[in-house]
Amino acid sequence: MTEQISAEITDPGAWLGPDIQAGDEDWIRHLSAEALADLDAALRHVQKAGLQIPFGKEDFPLNACAAELAALLPEVQNGLGFRVLRGIPRDKYSDAECELLYWGIGVHIGSPVSQNDRGHLLGHVLDEDRSYDDPSARGYQTAQRMDFHCDLLPVDVLGLFCLHQAKSGGESHLVSSLTVHNVLRRERPDLLDVTYQPFHLDWRDEEPDGEQPWYAIPMFSAADGQVTSRFTSRQYLQSCERFGAEYTITDAQTECLDLVQQIANRPELQVSFRLQEGDIQLVNNHTTMHARDAFEDYDDPALKRHLLRMWIALSNDMRRPLSPELDCRSKWVEAGGIPLKESAAG
């Protein structure tokens, strides 16, 4: 029988927005002067050695910064489920140097995996003039609003580094999916039951060779008493109908997803902020959903809104337990992410 959590979740990750944004903003962690000097020395080491991404943890030697990252990770995994790391002097480094810095930080957290069929381990989140109307487009390739969601694969940590802000818009929003679970339990337990049942989702043309172009997973699942959420952008569920009527989203599932978005968008549940250039956002992709406002870019391509993204898998001893119902997705995390398609390389 599928494990389902019926009790109120009281973990630290089941938070309310005002409780987080009031007070001293402890969720924003400022790197110390020692950690910043450490990062700079590691960057110069990589540059002197002529290394390129992907390089290993041993190629980016950290001491003080490694200790601060190690202290931060349990807060992302077992605490609130997110942190913003601040302090990297953006004006000191070129875009290319920021990529090296961010990659070096990422490999000290875990193992970055491929995010798309282009094999990107370090992804670029920017408007590629694409739209959700394109069944092969993903939200990060557009300037459109992104509703609350988890990223496609059940990686442990979603990391974003802000290279350039938008001209306007693009504000980030976070919500605890555990809190959403609690609200559904109180207000609509019948729809909470629906979230534990399989939903059909579209790979949107990124399925690995030999895989069917759709998959089925629940939006909430549980293992060892811990809830994991897999709420994916609505377009991945709606476009699945192209494979046949049997894959069309049901009325109950539509009502469920509508209510989840309505709950997640309640101001009293959210944390909202605008990433500063040089900020790194680390999010637990199992317990925290994220959203983004639509944005307007600068005309100059060099100034366009641009974030660097990593999907980071943690070692097995640090991972959140996942339900066997997610095996069809977690197997790709263990395999290194979404496999490269030669036709998509570039």
Side-chain angles (χ1 to χ4, degrees):
M1 181 177 178
T2 300
E3 183 178 351
Q4 183 168 334
I5 303 300
S6 58
E8 186 89 356
I9 299 173
T10 58
D11 296 349
W15 44 264
L16 298 175
D19 294 340
I20 305 304
Q21 290 198 297
D24 58 4
E25 292 191 329
D26 188 53
W27 52 278
I28 300 176
R29 291 302 173 89
H30 295 263
L31 288 165
S32 68
E34 293 78 12
L36 292 173
D38 203 18
L39 278 173
D40 190 76
L43 171 64
R44 305 311 169 194
H45 174 82
V46 164
Q47 291 177 317
K48 185 176 180 180
L51 300 178
Q52 296 182 340
I53 297 170
F55 52 78
K57 176 180 176 180
E58 66 281 358
D59 298 315
F60 198 81
L62 294 178
N63 295 303
C65 187
E68 293 183 24
L69 292 173
L72 187 73
L73 191 55
E75 299 171 356
V76 176
Q77 283 302 98
N78 303 309
L80 293 180
F82 71 95
R83 283 291 186 269
V84 171
L85 198 59
R86 182 164 290 170
I88 294 176
R90 181 65 186 88
D91 56 356
K92 181 178 179 178
Y93 300 111
S94 67
D95 287 3
E97 287 175 325
C98 286
E99 291 184 17
L100 295 173
L101 281 170
Y102 181 43
W103 178 266
I105 289 172
V107 295
H108 275 270
I109 293 173
S111 300
V113 305
S114 171
Q115 306 165 27
N116 51 40
D117 62 3
R118 290 180 278 182
H120 291 168
L121 297 173
L122 183 67
H124 297 268
V125 178
L126 71 169
D127 181 21
E128 298 179 19
D129 295 322
R130 303 187 72 177
S131 166
Y132 284 126
D133 294 334
D134 177 355
S136 66
R138 286 171 56 178
Y140 71 87
Q141 299 168 327
T142 79
Q144 295 171 263
R145 172 179 167 78
M146 297 179 71
D147 286 337
F148 280 100
H149 65 284
C150 306
D151 273 11
L152 284 178
L153 291 188
V155 293
D156 304 296
V157 177
L158 166 64
L160 292 172
F161 181 106
C162 182
L163 279 179
H164 301 286
Q165 292 182 331
K167 180 179 179 181
S168 63
E171 187 173 33
S172 298
H173 307 278
L174 300 176
V175 71
S176 165
S177 56
L178 306 182
T179 299
V180 172
H181 189 284
N182 284 341
V183 175
L184 277 173
R185 173 184 172 272
R186 292 193 300 268
E187 298 183 3
R188 290 294 302 271
D190 58 318
L191 291 183
L192 180 60
D193 289 341
V194 172
T195 68
Y196 277 88
Q197 299 166 14
F199 286 62
H200 290 109
L201 293 99
D202 188 353
W203 266 100
R204 292 178 78 85
D205 298 336
E206 288 195 304
E207 70 275 6
D209 291 336
E211 286 284 301
Q212 58 194 9
W214 58 268
Y215 57 95
I217 57 170
M219 297 295 98
F220 276 127
S221 58
D224 298 344
Q226 296 189 57
V227 170
T228 289
S229 66
R230 297 300 321 137
F231 288 93
T232 307
S233 296
R234 182 73 62 90
Q235 291 76 19
Y236 292 87
L237 296 104
Q238 292 174 329
S239 64
C240 207
E241 66 183 8
R242 63 186 175 132
F243 305 119
E246 65 269 33
Y247 305 116
T248 300
I249 188 170
T250 69
D251 290 344
Q253 289 173 336
T254 297
E255 184 182 11
C256 172
L257 294 177
D258 286 344
L259 182 56
V260 165
Q261 288 299 323
Q262 189 268 330
I263 292 170
N265 277 285
R266 295 177 186 177
E268 67 270 21
L269 300 190
Q270 294 183 34
V271 167
S272 301
F273 55 94
R274 195 174 192 214
L275 285 172
Q276 298 179 12
E277 294 183 358
D279 280 357
I280 295 174
Q281 174 183 292
L282 299 173
V283 170
N284 185 323
N285 195 39
H286 302 308
T287 66
T288 309
M289 291 191 287
H290 59 285
R292 183 203 70 201
D293 289 345
F295 62 88
E296 179 187 0
D297 256 331
Y298 293 96
D299 293 332
D300 183 349
L303 298 178
K304 289 183 66 172
R305 183 183 188 273
H306 191 173
L307 306 182
L308 303 175
R309 184 176 69 173
M310 273 189 280
W311 284 355
I312 303 174
L314 301 179
S315 58
N316 287 336
D317 62 318
M318 298 182 67
R319 297 202 72 196
R320 189 177 187 84
L322 299 181
S323 166
E325 294 175 291
L326 300 183
D327 284 351
C328 67
R329 305 300 286 162
S330 57
K331 72 178 183 180
W332 294 112
V333 176
E334 295 168 6
I338 300 174
L340 171 69
K341 285 185 178 179
E342 293 300 327
S343 60

